[in-house]
Amino acid sequence: MKTRIQELRKLHRISQEELGLAVGVTRQTITSLEGEKYTASLVLAYKIAQYFQLSIEEVFDFSQLEEM
Amino acid sequence: MEKFKATIQLRIKLLAIVMGITVLSNGILQIMRHRLPVIPDFIFGFQTGVFIGMLVFLLYIISKYASCLKNADALKKLYIKEHDEREQLIGYKTSVFTMVVMLIILTLSTVIAGFFNIIVFITLLSVVALLLIVMLTTLTYYRRVL
């Protein structure tokens, strides 16, 4: 899933490690999210969005989700 | 984090008990060795290796936990590492894949062993049956609780 995590992280000048510590995941998980290899759970998506003081939709791109 | 700290303290105590039991049981086995059937050097070497390996591993884990208890940052990192959702997903996928591969290999080995040795066949068949029972019990449990 496409996200704006990397862009927002650079804007706030924080490292992957710092963001990971703030939201309770490892640096590798942030790397995977930024690389679109891993899709965050609802709880993690909420925590990341809260951290940047944005809504989940503003951080995560749901437009390419497959329809059932 | 206090709850996790208590969990780590409990783990240290349990690991120390396991270590004590390991040392004690190995000591008893060494004392009783002359009463037990004579075993080849290879098996004795293997048993000693497992014993030493277990002790080294337990000591490493205990010292890692103990150092985390002294450092709040290290404790938080350990908590994150253990609760990281991607790590949990990796663990889950690895377990499922390993279980399926093990079942296939063991089932094929059971069939092949049936042509050569009845004891090996029954042993492997028991292992496959036990694995399936554990798998189905776990599956039923998680279908009820999740």
Side-chain angles (χ1 to χ4, degrees):
Chain A
M1 178 185 277
K2 280 187 181 175
T3 75
R4 287 179 58 215
I5 295 173
Q6 192 172 27
E7 174 198 333
L8 292 164
R9 200 170 48 74
K10 284 179 179 169
L11 200 70
H12 286 75
R13 291 181 181 177
I14 54 158
S15 65
Q16 291 179 328
E17 183 86 34
E18 287 167 326
L19 178 61
L21 274 172
V23 297
V25 292
T26 59
R27 180 189 59 77
Q28 289 86 348
T29 299
I30 301 295
T31 309
S32 286
L33 286 168
E34 289 182 359
E36 298 171 27
K37 287 180 185 171
Y38 175 69
T39 304
S41 69
L42 181 62
V43 175
L44 179 58
Y46 175 75
K47 282 182 183 173
I48 293 171
Q50 281 281 100
Y51 182 84
F52 292 119
Q53 293 178 319
L54 295 167
S55 66
I56 291 177
E57 292 92 332
E58 285 173 301
V59 182
F60 296 87
D61 181 9
F62 292 91
S63 63
Q64 291 179 335
L65 277 184
E66 282 179 34
E67 283 186 25
M68 286 183 80
Chain B
M1 203 51 73
E2 282 305 310
K3 200 178 167 186
F4 185 62
K5 201 173 178 177
T7 307
I8 295 296
Q9 284 166 338
L10 180 69
R11 279 188 205 171
I12 290 175
K13 283 175 192 167
L14 290 174
L15 287 172
I17 291 169
V18 171
M19 214 166 99
I21 291 170
T22 309
V23 173
L24 199 71
S25 55
N26 190 63
I28 291 168
L29 275 175
Q30 294 306 324
I31 293 166
M32 306 279 286
R33 189 165 287 279
H34 65 279
R35 291 186 191 174
L36 298 169
V38 178
I39 52 166
D41 281 349
F42 166 72
I43 296 176
F44 178 70
F46 178 78
Q47 288 173 343
T48 310
V50 168
F51 170 69
I52 292 169
M54 264 187 82
L55 282 187
V56 170
F57 178 71
L58 288 169
L59 273 173
Y60 166 73
I61 298 290
I62 289 173
S63 63
K64 188 180 135 186
Y65 283 161
S67 68
C68 282
L69 285 178
K70 290 176 191 162
N71 185 332
D73 284 342
L75 188 70
K76 192 181 178 186
K77 279 186 179 172
L78 181 67
Y79 178 85
I80 287 174
K81 198 179 173 190
E82 285 193 8
H83 293 81
D84 180 75
E85 59 177 50
R86 180 174 152 272
E87 286 294 328
Q88 285 176 347
L89 184 68
I90 291 169
Y92 160 75
K93 289 199 171 192
T94 308
S95 304
V96 171
F97 181 75
T98 309
M99 181 64 112
V100 171
V101 170
M102 266 176 69
L103 268 174
I104 292 169
I105 291 171
L106 278 170
T107 308
L108 286 175
S109 307
T110 308
V111 172
I112 295 166
F115 291 108
F116 303 100
N117 190 315
I118 186 76
I119 295 170
V120 177
F121 171 77
I122 291 170
T123 308
L124 287 173
L125 190 66
S126 308
V127 173
V128 171
L130 188 69
L131 264 177
L132 281 172
I133 290 168
V134 171
M135 203 173 153
L136 290 173
T137 311
T138 315
L139 193 72
T140 312
Y141 170 75
Y142 281 118
R143 279 203 172 138
R144 282 189 184 177
V145 297
L146 292 177

